[in-house]
Amino acid sequence: MTNQQWVERSDKVIMKTYGRYPIVPVRGEGCRLWDADGKEYLDFLAGVAVNNLGHCHPKVVKALQDQAATLIHCSNYYQIPQQIELAELLCSHSFADKAFFCNSGAEANEAAIKLARKYSREKHNNPERYGIITAADSFHGRTMATVSATGQEKVQRFFDPLLHGFAHVAFNDLSALSAAITPQTCAIMLEPIQGEGGINIPSMEYMQGVRELCDRHQLLLILDEVQVGMGRTGKLFAHEHFGITPDIMTLAKALAGGAPIGTMLARDEVAASFVPGTHGSTFGGNPLVTAAAVATVRAILEEGLLNRAEEMGEYLHGELERLGTRYSFVKEVRGIGLMIGMSLSIPGGDIVKKGHEKGVLLNVTHDTVLRFVPPLTVSKQEVNRMIEILESIFKEIEA
């Protein structure tokens, strides 16, 4: 079937919750995708920062095939060896002592919100201590609690009344954050680098100041690393760039090489507030996805992908900056590792569509920021080809 034939079938039966492009990916390998018409694309979106190992990494494929032939699912009423192995890997490479597994970033953030409220209520013997401060332009998910936590009106529109107990303040503004703390506050929840908000990078002073505020007021620091974790920035977790550790951290997207998974990690003292019956997830951490995640984490650590993300990120950043100096509508290039945004003075939607026509998958966030999140395995030749295509689009815009 062709792309168009699939689009016509989709329009009849799929809800319009996404603004889908008329592209039907049917095969992927590394940084490349092929659609139903046989057209090849360079993928600089990587499933929105999911395919950090590229498409169909052999170790992840083998782990999924072997596990699918052995045991796909069993209940969390029983012990799951692959889940235990994954938790050991994540805890041994982070601040955390315990893990909870679920199916997505939104579910992981939902769990973090619940854990923060329950821990704070118990520790301070105060049921009124439930408030969570998040940042303007943040994005934490599409469930009602995570929509309420998200600091973007366009995500919340039409869904009020929102969940009570969330306050939003300007990102990277320590004074505003400090002023928002009240006796009801139990936690501060932030992305170390904002993704959907436009690739916004806070200062070292801000992030360290947030940690100090949490310590001074006995608040929990929740870091949402759903998009920026798992090597995306050149370190396994983005908060490592700022020399701080959270009390709770959430991961998802790239954790299982494309299989759907989410996790919430926490210190022992905090995690102890979750006891049998307080939270759960039927499919969370089942043998299939955790086998894929174990293979993914090992590949990131053993194949030198953290160093590669740093090196290729510097190269891509430099090439984008050089390109930007030649076009007046490019305002700024910003990012860490392979999480890079190019801020424009014009809407970026048409640039994305022209990229599709020329064989590169791009993305725009916050309407005017081109987001570049290719696989950590991207090559210099693939970066050069993407830059050539992007420059040809920029020349057409200025013509």
Side-chain angles (χ1 to χ4, degrees):
M1 290 186 66
T2 65
N3 283 341
Q4 184 56 36
Q5 288 169 325
W6 280 115
V7 169
E8 291 169 1
R9 286 179 65 176
S10 172
D11 286 345
K12 292 178 181 175
V13 294
I14 304 293
M15 290 191 187
K16 304 291 186 184
T17 52
Y18 303 99
R20 296 179 193 267
Y21 299 106
I23 296 172
V24 184
V26 294
R27 185 166 68 88
E29 182 179 337
C31 190
R32 294 169 188 269
L33 271 180
W34 288 265
D35 71 15
D37 293 343
K39 183 174 179 177
E40 180 179 323
Y41 302 85
L42 276 174
D43 188 357
F44 273 70
L45 178 58
V48 194
V50 167
N51 300 107
N52 281 11
L53 297 181
H55 294 280
C56 298
H57 189 287
K59 292 178 180 175
V60 178
V61 171
K62 185 173 189 313
L64 284 166
Q65 289 174 332
D66 290 349
Q67 191 58 48
T70 307
L71 180 65
I72 294 175
H73 178 77
C74 67
S75 168
N76 275 302
Y77 288 141
Y78 313 110
Q79 301 293 341
I80 300 173
Q82 299 79 13
Q83 188 181 116
I84 296 167
E85 191 173 357
L86 177 59
E88 288 173 343
L89 263 175
L90 293 172
C91 289
S92 67
H93 288 86
S94 74
F95 71 97
D97 303 301
K98 294 286 195 304
F100 165 80
F101 292 105
C102 48
N103 307 296
S104 68
E107 244 193 279
N109 285 333
E110 188 91 13
I113 291 165
K114 288 180 68 176
L115 179 61
R117 286 187 168 187
K118 188 169 187 295
Y119 167 81
S120 187
R121 181 187 184 119
E122 292 169 346
K123 180 177 177 62
H124 301 284
N125 192 28
N126 181 1
E128 298 302 316
R129 195 180 165 103
Y130 56 80
I132 297 177
I133 302 172
T134 73
D137 293 326
S138 61
F139 182 82
H140 297 294
R142 300 279 185 180
T143 67
M144 278 309 299
T146 56
V147 162
S148 303
T150 291
Q152 297 189 52
E153 194 271 341
K154 67 180 181 182
V155 175
Q156 300 172 336
R157 193 181 305 144
F158 308 123
F159 299 112
D160 55 319
L162 300 175
L163 196 67
H164 179 64
F166 291 94
H168 307 98
V169 299
F171 189 53
N172 204 27
D173 185 336
L174 199 60
S175 296
L177 184 61
S178 179
I181 295 171
T182 72
Q184 284 74 46
T185 305
C186 74
I188 295 171
M189 183 175 186
L190 297 171
E191 299 157 275
I193 299 170
Q194 290 188 333
E196 299 299 322
I199 316 295
N200 301 317
I201 303 165
S203 68
M204 178 78 78
E205 293 74 18
Y206 173 77
M207 291 301 287
Q208 293 187 350
V210 172
R211 179 69 265 181
E212 290 170 7
L213 276 178
C214 287
D215 292 341
R216 190 189 318 158
H217 295 276
Q218 297 188 64
L219 309 177
L220 293 175
L221 175 57
I222 304 169
L223 291 183
D224 174 347
E225 295 229 9
V226 166
Q227 187 167 149
V228 299
M230 303 316 302
R232 171 59 48 194
T233 66
K235 295 188 182 297
L236 193 56
F237 308 115
H239 67 260
E240 296 176 50
H241 291 284
F242 303 101
I244 62 168
T245 57
D247 302 297
I248 300 173
M249 177 172 70
T250 56
L251 300 168
K253 289 185 178 292
L255 178 54
I261 191 172
T263 188
M264 174 186 66
L265 305 175
R267 292 190 291 106
D268 246 340
E269 180 198 354
V270 181
S273 286
F274 266 5
V275 297
T278 51
H279 198 55
S281 172
T282 296
F283 292 105
N286 82 8
L288 190 68
V289 295
T290 46
V294 168
T296 300
V297 175
R298 284 180 174 167
I300 290 173
L301 295 172
E302 295 169 1
E303 296 182 7
L305 294 184
L306 300 180
N307 289 336
R308 186 179 178 85
E310 185 178 3
E311 292 168 7
M312 292 309 300
E314 287 180 5
Y315 182 71
L316 174 57
H317 196 128
E319 292 300 300
L320 288 170
E321 281 193 325
R322 274 188 282 278
L323 179 63
T325 59
R326 299 196 284 270
Y327 297 91
S328 60
F329 54 83
V330 176
K331 295 167 62 178
E332 181 187 19
V333 177
R334 54 181 181 259
I336 301 178
L338 282 169
M339 186 167 185
I340 302 174
M342 173 182 270
S343 178
L344 308 173
S345 59
I346 60 174
D350 285 344
I351 294 174
V352 172
K353 291 179 182 176
K354 289 179 183 294
H356 294 169
E357 294 169 6
K358 294 174 181 290
V360 62
L361 299 181
L362 299 171
N363 172 253
V364 63
T365 184
H366 228 53
D367 298 328
T368 56
V369 180
L370 295 177
R371 174 170 47 178
F372 302 89
V373 284
L376 311 188
T377 56
V378 67
S379 69
K380 189 174 286 187
Q381 291 75 21
E382 289 164 337
V383 169
N384 291 340
R385 178 60 184 150
M386 187 279 294
I387 293 290
E388 287 176 8
I389 292 172
L390 193 59
E391 177 150 37
S392 73
I393 297 170
F394 284 5
K395 284 179 179 177
E396 290 176 12
I397 292 172
E398 283 214 331

